[in-house]
Amino acid sequence: MQQWVAEIAYETTSGPKRVTESFYLPSIDDVRAAVSKKGGYTLSVRPHERSPLERLLARSTWWQVQLLRGIQFRSTSTSPGVALWKIIQAETNPRRQNILAPAREALARGLGVIDALKALNIFDHGTLAILAGSERANRLVEGIPHAIHSITQKKKNSRAIMGTMSWLGFDVFSIVSSLWAGKDMVLGYFRDNPPDPVSDPEGFEEFTRVVGNLELLWDVLIFSSVSMGVFMAWCMFSFWFNRGKKDWPTARAVRKIPLIGGYLRDLAFADSMSAAARMLRGLVPINDTLHQSAEASSAPDVAAYWVEASAYLGRGVSLGSALDRAPLTRNERLEIASLSDLGQVATVMESISEMRSAAAKTKHKLIVWIAFALTGVFLAIAFGSAIYALTVMNMSMDSMMGGLMEGAI
């Protein structure tokens, strides 16, 4: 299903009239058929596209929370689908009208409120899983607060990730700027003060070799730093551009980085376990909970865990045994294996979610400290190699600093 914008011509008593309408249908042929049923002539059809400002507004946490709260408040006197329809009809802002257009088309075609929310393409898989599970249990209004809590919690996790990436970016920028500025100064000083090739040919040969190796080393350090910065910038853009997707090449590459991959896995487990606990407390059936938990996670290994657990449960295996499997840790599996009744499942899942969140925070701190240490190592290699070159050529640090200061003046 996709939203389309069609330019249509209608025959009127005053002559042909050109209008633009939107449709939420599977293909262009379906749009043309719908236009023909309405007695119009299709002039052009194009996929619905949002402006960058509309995409930014639609994906903001504030907008998502306000929309869900509006549905919750209006659902006290009517159904959630009618509540969403009233919100759409009451909207006067053109940008928000454009954002809500896919949901309006979905509701107009008789689809349910969950299908309409999916059509908006603004909520992540976890939020939609909580809402869909609550809707299946006829408790959508009660599930909305859990979905809002999930959105706000993921915002905190996103801030932590962005903080980590920002710190790593600052480290890379510091390394590149320091090496780039120091390379010309240091190498320039060496080239301006070579030994006399006539009176000291061996010294001049040693000088040429040392300066050449020093330049090669600094070039390698600068190239490595710039490559790392470009990779980080690409990752940030790719994760923002592919937001809402479950898997794509950049995400697979990032997950292979040992510490960062574990950090993202812990966050995914914390989110899915928390979502499963909320659905169980909302009296969602266990089969639907496992299915929606798999849909809630964008990490393939986490989603595979829930799918495998659901498959084992369907074969008649007990719930504790179905959930007791990798990639859970030993302590988590001990808690799962100790389950004796269904009423304890939500409590155990909340406990696992808290442990995974704590593990993610620990990995986050470790990533920051490792980045800080790598910055020191890079700079130590760069300037240590320059000091080593001074000792090899029997020059003093004071003479080099004096020469650099004179050159700067």
Side-chain angles (χ1 to χ4, degrees), residues 121-184:
N121 196 26
I122 63 175
F123 296 103
D124 56 40
H125 296 286
T127 303
L128 289 173
I130 294 173
L131 294 173
S134 302
E135 195 266 344
R136 289 187 182 183
N138 293 323
R139 293 173 175 266
L140 181 58
V141 177
E142 298 177 12
I144 287 177
H146 297 308
I148 292 175
H149 182 272
S150 175
I151 292 173
T152 54
Q153 186 63 38
K154 287 185 178 181
K155 182 181 180 180
K156 294 179 182 178
N157 294 337
S158 298
R159 285 178 177 175
I161 294 174
M162 291 305 298
T164 303
M165 297 300 292
S166 299
W167 179 259
L168 293 175
F170 174 76
D171 283 347
V172 172
F173 175 77
S174 301
I175 293 171
V176 173
S177 58
S178 300
L179 295 179
W180 214 297
K183 177 185 175 184
D184 293 336

Side-chain angles (χ1 to χ4, degrees), residues 236-375:
M236 294 177 67
F237 171 77
S238 179
F239 270 82
W240 181 86
F241 183 78
N242 293 286
R243 182 178 177 183
K245 294 183 179 179
K246 284 201 168 187
D247 198 20
W248 65 97
T250 306
R252 290 194 291 270
V254 172
R255 284 195 297 269
K256 291 181 180 179
I257 303 175
L259 191 58
I260 296 178
Y263 172 64
L264 296 176
R265 189 181 305 110
D266 286 340
L267 288 179
F269 253 122
D271 289 340
S272 63
M273 283 288 179
S274 179
R278 293 192 191 96
M279 283 187 280
L280 288 176
R281 292 196 184 280
L283 302 180
V284 177
I286 185 63
N287 291 331
D288 290 340
T289 297
L290 296 179
H291 175 73
Q292 294 299 333
S293 297
E295 292 292 325
S297 179
S298 58
D301 50 351
V302 177
Y305 165 80
W306 293 107
V307 172
E308 188 176 356
S310 178
Y312 273 84
L313 189 64
R315 297 171 189 169
V317 178
S318 65
L319 180 59
S321 299
L323 296 175
D324 179 17
R325 61 191 66 261
L328 293 182
T329 64
R330 182 174 179 273
N331 291 335
E332 293 167 349
R333 296 182 70 170
L334 287 175
E335 288 200 36
I336 288 289
S338 65
L339 288 174
S340 59
D341 60 79
L342 191 60
Q344 298 176 345
V345 179
T347 302
V348 172
M349 287 182 174
E350 288 175 346
S351 175
I352 294 176
S353 176
E354 292 175 359
M355 288 191 292
R356 286 286 179 165
S357 296
K361 291 180 181 178
T362 301
K363 288 184 175 66
H364 173 257
K365 293 179 181 178
L366 188 58
I367 291 171
V368 172
W369 279 109
I370 289 177
F372 181 77
L374 287 177
T375 303

